[in-house]
Amino acid sequence: MAAEAAVGAPAPARLINPWHLVWALAAIAVMIAAIVSASLWALNFVHALAGLMWTGIDLFMGFVVGPILRRLDPPARRAFTLALMPRMIFLMPTLAIITGTAGWYLAQRIGYLDVGYPQRAWVVAALVIIAILTVQGLGILLPTNLRVCLELRKDSPDLARIGAWMRRYVRVVAMQGTMQVLMIVIMARFVAGL
């Protein structure tokens, strides 16, 4: 009965907070400034910070928040999700875009895009992984976040539909976590020198 009452509870008044868009655009502006500057340090800093945040948040969500959320009763899970998703809709795509874009320009400036075999294999592996992560994030995870958030805002959300979306979401997040750990291995190789 409590779950039914919570499902019928009113959703928050506003899905999108304009300030989330403002700080996302500000972060992208910082990335653009680092790209157009002559500072290799600034570009490396932006790339490393965004990459660390993206990977750290993904792993934290998967290994800490996810298991806790599964144990919460439906009203608490709904409230948490409705508070978290509007932020994640802006945060994770912004970090993914900044990490990949800054990484490309950094690799170009350092000369990693011009290395020969066998070092080129490390560069290709990084490019393939970042492409997969970005496509999955923007093409699967972001739309799923939006669908779940919009469905939960309804007076009577379709919990079976949400469950189906979340099962696919969890599989994709697990794959992303694995690829992000592989990316850390590759980045460690880059730092040690190709």
Side-chain angles (χ1 to χ4, degrees):
M1 187 61 105
E4 291 171 4
V7 169
R14 174 171 62 175
L15 173 64
I16 303 299
N17 182 336
W19 285 108
H20 296 157
L21 179 60
V22 169
W23 63 253
L25 292 174
I28 290 172
V30 168
M31 175 200 67
I32 292 169
I35 290 169
V36 299
S37 78
S39 175
L40 189 60
W41 177 88
L43 187 56
N44 187 44
F45 177 79
V46 167
H47 170 66
L49 181 63
L52 287 169
M53 289 177 65
W54 182 19
T55 301
I57 291 168
D58 261 355
L59 295 176
F60 179 78
M61 293 296 291
F63 289 111
V64 178
V65 174
I68 291 170
L69 228 105
R70 284 191 291 276
R71 292 185 190 107
L72 292 178
D73 61 334
R77 188 179 316 148
R78 180 178 187 218
F80 181 83
T81 302
L82 284 171
L84 178 68
M85 287 300 175
R87 288 170 176 82
M88 297 298 279
I89 287 168
F90 286 97
L91 177 63
M92 298 311 280
T94 302
L95 291 174
I97 289 165
I98 290 172
T99 301
T101 305
W104 173 267
Y105 282 98
L106 184 62
Q108 186 178 43
R109 282 198 195 161
I110 294 174
Y112 283 158
L113 299 180
D114 301 321
V115 297
Y117 179 81
Q119 295 86 359
R120 186 160 192 79
W122 290 96
V123 175
V124 170
L127 292 173
V128 167
I129 290 173
I130 193 69
I132 292 169
L133 288 170
T134 303
V135 167
Q136 284 180 333
L138 298 177
I140 298 171
L141 299 179
L142 176 60
T144 302
N145 282 341
L146 285 168
R147 283 188 207 112
V148 168
C149 200
L150 291 172
E151 188 67 31
L152 284 173
R153 293 176 59 79
K154 294 179 180 176
D155 290 336
S156 298
D158 185 343
L159 300 179
R161 176 181 273 180
I162 292 171
W165 291 335
M166 292 311 293
R167 282 188 291 281
R168 181 178 70 164
Y169 186 88
V170 167
R171 286 191 303 270
V172 174
V173 167
M175 195 181 333
Q176 288 234 320
T178 302
M179 285 188 289
Q180 285 178 325
V181 170
L182 288 173
M183 185 63 92
I184 291 169
V185 171
I186 293 167
M187 290 299 108
R189 175 64 185 202
F190 277 42
V191 170
L194 290 177

